[in-house]
Amino acid sequence: MMPISYEGDVFRPPSEARSLILQATIGCSHNRCTFCAMYKRKKYRARPLAEINRDIVTAAAYLPHTRRVFLADGNALAVATADLVAILDQLNKAFPLLERITLYGNPQDLLQKSEDELKELCDHRLKMIYLGVESGSAAVLEAVKKGVTPADLVKGAAKLKKAGIPLSVTVLNGLAGLEGSVEHARSTAKFLSEMDPEYIGLLSLITVPGTTMHRRFKSGELTALSPWQLLEEIRMMVEGLTLTNSIFRANHASNYLPLKATLSRDKQLLLTALDRIIAERSPATLKSEFMRGL
Ligand code: SF4
């Protein structure tokens, strides 16, 4: 039996650590964000269904009790809906205990799917889309070449809600440098409150050599935030959030301080804890630099 095939580096969200990872696509269909180097060495393509099916058959032979599957690479939502449904069908047939299938979505590809298409995907057990929104500031989104506006993102989120697919968004702490920190925090809080996603994942910016973002910081055009300034930015964001029932997590390897809260319930607790930590400025509270990563 052929082994499951993986091409290049494969990434997944922290919450998919126990999931079976299968590549439905190679690379990212957008691949232009100025801070991101994850798929720079890959030319985007959807993998042929026959190849994916072969991987599913292999995985089912070795891991028949699989409950969770994450479809990589950067943007499996870009796959044509009929093909995506065929992949989901295969997975549902191969794994009798399967509970959920999840994937990364790119905002443009989300906007291209109709509500009916999204409903169909939900009916085939697509139970979460991870969407990198990065910021709620139109200026920041334009500067990092995200390719969408905050209004587009809110529209995409509303479509997912109607289709019944939970949404997990990621935002990037420190993305606008010290110069844009207040605007980034306030606009992101306002925008997330409008979007009201089920999950919010906060990552801290680590600039990668070779990217435009790295050059902007190196040249002095943008100033990197200190760990304490990053926490102040998070505090500002949290303060501005009004959400129904979102779970907020900053438990990525890039974060200096792991945080988790259900924001409708724990917002004040989180703000109080952040105030204390920021006031104490004890280096022992923070993850050391060498422990951080992407
Ligand atoms: S859409 Fe996501 S994976 Fe693609 S370039 Fe932007 S941040 Fe990277």
Side-chain angles (χ1 to χ4, degrees), residues 15-41:
S15 47
E16 299 294 337
R18 291 170 184 225
S19 304
L20 167 68
I21 317 276
L22 294 172
Q23 280 175 306
T25 61
I26 304 298
C28 166
S29 58
H30 181 57
N31 218 9
R32 256 173 267 160
C33 300
T34 61
F35 55 87
C36 176
M38 294 200 313
Y39 304 107
K40 286 289 182 252
R41 291 195 197 146

Side-chain angles (χ1 to χ4, degrees), residues 189 193 235-243 246 248 260-275:
S193 302
R235 198 220 175 273
M236 235 183 300
M237 240 179 239
V238 171
E239 189 180 27
L241 289 171
T242 309
L243 298 158
S246 299
F248 172 85
K260 188 175 173 192
T262 301
L263 280 175
S264 54
R265 191 188 63 202
D266 306 329
K267 180 173 157 178
Q268 197 46 53
L269 278 176
L270 182 57
L271 287 174
T272 308
L274 282 168
D275 283 341

Side-chain angles (χ1 to χ4, degrees), residues 207-269:
T207 61
V208 184
T211 59
T212 306
M213 186 56 94
H214 187 74
R215 282 192 288 280
R216 291 185 74 201
F217 277 95
K218 263 218 120 150
S219 69
E221 189 190 332
L222 289 173
T223 312
L225 280 77
S226 72
W228 304 110
Q229 288 166 333
L230 287 170
L231 290 180
E232 279 162 9
E233 187 179 279
I234 296 174
R235 198 220 175 273
M236 235 183 300
M237 240 179 239
V238 171
E239 189 180 27
L241 289 171
T242 309
L243 298 158
T244 315
N245 203 20
S246 299
I247 293 179
F248 172 85
R249 290 191 195 111
N251 59 347
H252 187 258
S254 61
N255 299 117
Y256 282 101
L257 181 70
L259 299 167
K260 188 175 173 192
T262 301
L263 280 175
S264 54
R265 191 188 63 202
D266 306 329
K267 180 173 157 178
Q268 197 46 53
L269 278 176

